[in-house]
Structure formats: structure tokens, C-alpha cells
Amino acid sequence: MSAQPDSGPRSAARTRGLGMLGAVVVGVVLSVQSRLNGALGAQLHDGLGAAVISFGSGLVVLLIATAFLPVARAGLRAVRDALRGGGLRWWQCLGGIAGGFLVFGQGLSAAALGVALFTVAVVAGQVGSGLVVDRIGLGPAGPQRVTSPRVLGAVLAVIAVFVAVWDELTGSGVSWLILVPALAGIGVAWQQAVNGRVKQTAGSPASAAVINFGVGAAGLLLAWLVEVAARGLPSGLPAQPWLYLGGVLGIFVIGGAAALVHYTGVLVLSMGMVAGQLLGALLLDLLVPAPGTEVPLTTVIGVGLTFVAVAVASLPDRAARA
């Protein structure tokens, strides 16, 4: 009899823990996608063109899969009906724009700010926005209180990223361009929330991913056409087939985040993905290092701190339970 009241909280904690683990895995996949897209952009000498290829290829794979998946087609119909009936707002289907803006921001400001400062600004915007988005209940998990552990975890996450990229920060210059990655980070948290709502309505992560990729690909294509009009087409496409796998990995990132946000909330999902990204980047640098790459001790310490931050932010809300 005494164990019965604890079964609910214990089950919720177990589900939340599995959701956090899933967020870390999604972050690791995202780090691999970033490496592939970065290599593709470097060979094309066109980061925006690489993003169009990534989003476009992911969209094509999703559309082919949707043709063979009844649950995905049913999910798209459910979203259409929800939009007509008012159960889902049109702006909740525009999460892909935030992903496109992040890619655009990389091309606009990452070189000027330095990758390290760009990353810190994105993470700061992401975790700060995650607190607000969770508080007002934009995500499928509903409103969540701004507790001391959540605030402390968010601050620790930003500090952890500072530590992880400290060696690179020494050469970065701060300018007004830092607003671009900060806004991109804010958009990412909003994207995770609205994509979670779309997945909740559709009942299928694949349906949410189709909508996200479709909107993002359309926005990036328009921006790329403007670039082509000004600069012309890239000279040629790389021959290595593995460079074109970024879009496929992106499907798992977007679909996984949309499925997990219901269990973790936006803040913990964002922080778990940041931890996974840093872990994945560390593993890539150790196992498949780029020429001239070294792994400083501060990077290892920063990765460890991100996991501490996620654990702190995930502490239960004792006031709510009481």
C-alpha cells in the first residue's frame, strides 16, 4: 500500500529521464549533421546553398516516406483539419522558419563573431527563451513554473558553453552582430515548442517534420535565389555521397525533438540537445579530427558541466508537487 502513491511520481521521473537521454542523443546526431553540412558548404563555397541541399534532400526523403506511411498521411490531414477548425494556429506551423534563420545567421555573423561566440549567443538565447516558452505554455507539455533549479540549470548551461569554447573565445570580437545568433537561439526554442504542438495534433513526428522541412526549405530557397542572382551558381557539386546525408540526419533531429518535447519541456530539451551537441563535437574531434584540431581540457570540462546543468534543471518542482 505504501508504494502505491510513489508510482506516479516515479513513473513521471523515469519518463522524464528517458526524454532527457533522448534529447542528448538528438544533440549528438545534430553535431554530426553540422559537421557534414559544414563540410558541404566549405566545398561548395556556399553555406546557404549547402543548407538548401540539406533541407531539400530531407524534404524529398520525408515526402517519399509519407507516400508509404498511412500514419504520416493521416497526421497531415489532422493538421489540415485542426487549422480549419481553429485547434491549431497557422503560425504554429512555421517552426521551419526558425531553423532557416539559424542557418542564415551562421552565414551572416559566424565568421565575423567567431564560431565560439556565435555558439554562446545561440545557447544563451535558446535557454533563456526556453524558460519563457515553458512558462507561458507554448509547448505540448503546457505551462511550467520558473523554479530556482530551472534558472540555475539555464545559467550553468551558458557557463558550461563558455568554458567549452574558452580557447576560441580569446580571439572573438563582440559587435552588434551578436544579436543575430541570440535571436536565432530564441527562435530555436520557439521552433521546438510549436513543432511539438504540431506533432501532438498530427500524432506523428513524421508529419511535424514534413511541415517543418517544407517551410524551412521554402524560406531558404527564396534566400538562396536572391544570393544566386547576386553571385551566380556554385561551380560544381562535390562527388562524395556522404556529404549529402545532412538532410537525412535532420529528419531524426526535427522528428525526435518534436516527439520528446512533450515529456521534457522546451528548456530541458534544449539543454539536453546542447549537451549532446558538445559531446558529439568532442567525440568527432577525438575520433575523426579535422586537420590541425586539438581538444583542450576546457572543452572536456565544459561538456561535463552541461550534463550537470541538465540534471539541475530537471530537478522536480517541489512546490507544485506539494
Side-chain angles (χ1 to χ4, degrees):
M1 295 292 289
S2 60
Q4 192 67 24
D6 292 335
S7 59
R10 287 179 180 176
S11 177
R14 189 180 304 112
T15 301
R16 192 176 182 85
L18 290 174
M20 289 163 51
L21 178 61
V24 172
V25 172
V26 169
V28 172
V29 175
L30 181 56
S31 69
V32 178
Q33 182 201 28
S34 299
R35 171 72 74 90
L36 292 176
N37 284 347
L40 178 60
Q43 294 209 26
L44 285 174
H45 303 289
D46 185 353
L48 190 54
V52 171
I53 292 174
S54 180
F55 267 74
S57 61
L59 179 60
V60 169
V61 171
L62 279 168
L63 290 175
I64 294 174
T66 299
F68 294 95
L69 292 175
V71 66
R73 297 197 301 273
L76 291 176
R77 290 193 296 268
V79 171
R80 179 198 61 193
D81 294 341
L83 288 170
R84 290 176 176 176
L88 196 67
R89 304 295 184 182
W90 62 269
W91 53 266
Q92 291 176 309
C93 296
L94 300 182
I97 291 178
F101 181 75
L102 176 61
V103 174
F104 170 74
Q106 289 172 334
L108 177 66
S109 63
L113 293 172
V115 175
L117 189 57
F118 181 91
T119 302
V120 170
V122 169
V123 172
Q126 192 173 349
V127 297
S129 179
L131 281 169
V132 176
V133 167
D134 274 346
R135 180 65 187 89
I136 62 181
L138 281 182
Q144 299 187 36
R145 284 165 33 88
V146 179
T147 62
S148 297
R150 290 169 65 82
V151 173
L152 178 59
V155 173
L156 280 175
V158 177
I159 293 174
V161 175
F162 259 113
V163 173
V165 299
W166 181 255
D167 281 8
E168 300 172 57
L169 277 175
T170 54
S172 299
V174 181
S175 73
W176 66 269
L177 282 174
I178 198 170
L179 294 176
V180 175
L183 288 173
I186 292 172
V188 168
W190 174 80
Q191 176 191 30
Q192 292 167 349
V194 295
N195 280 354
R197 288 285 188 182
V198 173
K199 182 268 173 184
Q200 186 180 47
T201 300
S204 167
S207 303
V210 167
I211 294 171
N212 181 90
F213 270 83
V215 171
L220 285 170
L221 181 60
L222 289 175
W224 182 68
L225 290 175
V226 173
E227 181 188 74
V228 168
R231 296 175 47 187
L233 289 168
S235 57
L237 294 175
Q240 301 94 320
W242 53 269
L243 288 175
Y244 301 95
L245 295 177
V248 177
L249 295 179
I251 295 172
F252 291 97
V253 172
I254 298 299
L260 292 168
V261 69
H262 175 76
Y263 304 102
T264 62
V266 176
L267 176 65
V268 174
L269 174 67
S270 298
M271 292 172 58
M273 288 179 63
V274 168
Q277 283 177 264
L278 291 178
L279 176 61
L282 175 62
L283 292 176
L284 286 172
D285 286 344
L286 290 173
L287 300 177
V288 194
T293 299
E294 294 183 0
V295 180
L297 179 61
T298 52
T299 299
V300 180
I301 295 173
V303 172
L305 281 177
T306 56
F307 284 93
V308 174
V310 174
V312 171
S314 303
L315 292 175
D317 184 352
R318 298 186 182 277
R321 288 177 61 182

